[in-house]
Amino acid sequence: MLDGITDGAEGVFDMALTNGLVAIVVHCWPDKAGTAGRMLSASQLLNVIENKGRRADGGVVRVLHDPAGPEFTEWPFDLGDGPSPNFTEVAADVLRDALDATQEVRHARALDHEAARVITDEHLNALEALDDHPALRSLLFVTIDRYEQRVDDAGEAEISRAQAYLEAIGEAEEERRAGLDYVALYAESDRKGMVLAEVEECPVCGHTSFVATGWEGQLGDLGIGHCVICSYQRTEAVADNEATLLRIQWAAERND
Ligand SMILES: [Zn+2]
């Protein structure tokens, strides 16, 4: 069972990809999808699609929506878009590369090493392209919604905890703490000007007291650290999940 929270970016990517490939294979070639108790892996499902679909250039396989129809549907009237494709493009090479990347990230995490690779925009675009298939239609979005819900739940639990703490220390103590200059106390750069710690506005208490000592690697924008006033903590996993969610949402909302 994949856990979108602890497995981070690669977990949700694998889950969405596997769901997408299963839906396509079950719809097109039901006898090739494995048995109920033993579904094929994402990599095996890609093999099936490569063997049964139509190979195009660049490691891409076209899966026809109507197997009896031509690759492009010519409309009797011109809508200005030209012939519409009767297929979903499965970028098998790119998706295999994405699977390799997610495995490497997991392996590195297990060994407590720096992850060697990340999921790229090319990987995300290839994943998003699967949603064209009639069998899928928004299944990807369902996965993303569910994931979003879990990230929200975890994030909200931490926010409630910090709010309860803030209430416990009381207004007078909050004001006393807010009177300190946390930038002077905690902001830090090395001799070359590299930022080691930055003091940002806290999303919970609103004071300039969130000390970020790291940033997630995808956007480089969401700080990892603690608020010195209200104790709110944004962990690496939460920052990473929030960044992944943003990137998947951007990919899904893009209309190009
Ligand atoms: Zn705070």
Side-chain angles (χ1 to χ4, degrees):
M1 179 73 195
L2 288 170
D3 181 333
I5 296 299
T6 53
D7 283 355
E10 63 286 357
V12 73
F13 187 94
D14 273 5
M15 179 165 55
L17 176 58
T18 306
N19 285 351
L21 296 174
V22 166
I24 290 172
V25 172
V26 166
H27 182 265
C28 300
W29 309 287
D31 58 319
K32 299 289 179 196
T35 57
R38 217 189 135 86
M39 288 305 276
L40 301 182
S41 68
S43 160
Q44 290 168 320
L45 290 162
L46 279 172
N47 289 341
V48 173
I49 290 170
E50 277 181 322
N51 289 332
K52 306 293 275 181
R54 295 192 185 189
R55 301 236 183 191
D57 292 342
V60 171
V61 181
R62 291 177 173 178
V63 177
L64 294 191
H65 300 167
D66 171 11
E71 284 204 355
F72 289 89
T73 307
E74 294 276 3
W75 300 105
F77 42 86
D78 186 9
L79 291 172
D81 297 333
S84 76
N86 167 34
F87 57 80
T88 294
E89 284 200 330
V90 180
D93 286 0
V94 174
L95 292 172
R96 270 220 177 77
D97 186 62
L99 285 172
D100 286 349
T102 61
Q103 289 309 313
E104 275 184 40
V105 173
R106 289 197 172 153
H107 186 64
R109 192 165 290 167
L111 296 174
D112 208 16
H113 286 160
E114 220 25 50
R117 301 175 64 187
V118 292
I119 294 163
T120 64
D121 285 343
E122 193 185 19
H123 296 150
L124 283 173
N125 289 340
L127 174 65
E128 200 215 347
L130 300 182
D131 233 17
D132 285 345
H133 197 276
L136 254 134
R137 293 267 184 258
S138 81
L139 196 123
L140 205 56
F141 292 98
V142 171
T143 306
I144 292 165
D145 278 355
R146 206 178 296 150
Y147 176 69
E148 182 177 18
Q149 191 58 50
R150 299 168 80 167
V151 174
D152 281 358
D153 289 351
E156 272 170 25
E158 172 56 13
I159 289 169
S160 307
R161 193 198 55 74
Q163 281 168 339
Y165 176 80
L166 201 57
E167 255 174 57
I169 65 171
E171 260 179 52
E173 174 60 11
E174 182 184 346
E175 280 314 305
R176 190 191 68 78
R177 293 184 187 191
L180 296 175
D181 183 351
Y182 293 100
V183 176
L185 283 168
Y186 292 99
E188 202 184 340
S189 299
D190 69 10
R191 287 183 185 184
K192 290 175 184 161
M194 174 92 161
V195 177
L196 301 175
E198 191 172 80
V199 184
E200 302 168 357
E201 187 177 306
C202 171
V204 175
C205 69
H207 299 293
T208 305
S209 51
F210 184 86
V211 182
T213 51
W215 290 266
E216 42 70 36
Q218 301 186 61
L219 305 172
D221 200 30
L222 293 168
I224 297 160
H226 291 86
C227 172
V228 192
I229 293 181
C230 75
S231 84
Y232 171 69
Q233 179 185 18
R234 190 190 281 130
T235 61
E236 183 174 359
V238 168
D240 190 46
N241 282 326
E242 283 180 23
T244 305
L245 184 63
L246 283 172
R247 293 180 66 222
I248 293 176
Q249 275 175 343
W250 293 337
E253 283 164 10
R254 210 164 38 212
N255 285 320
D256 53 13

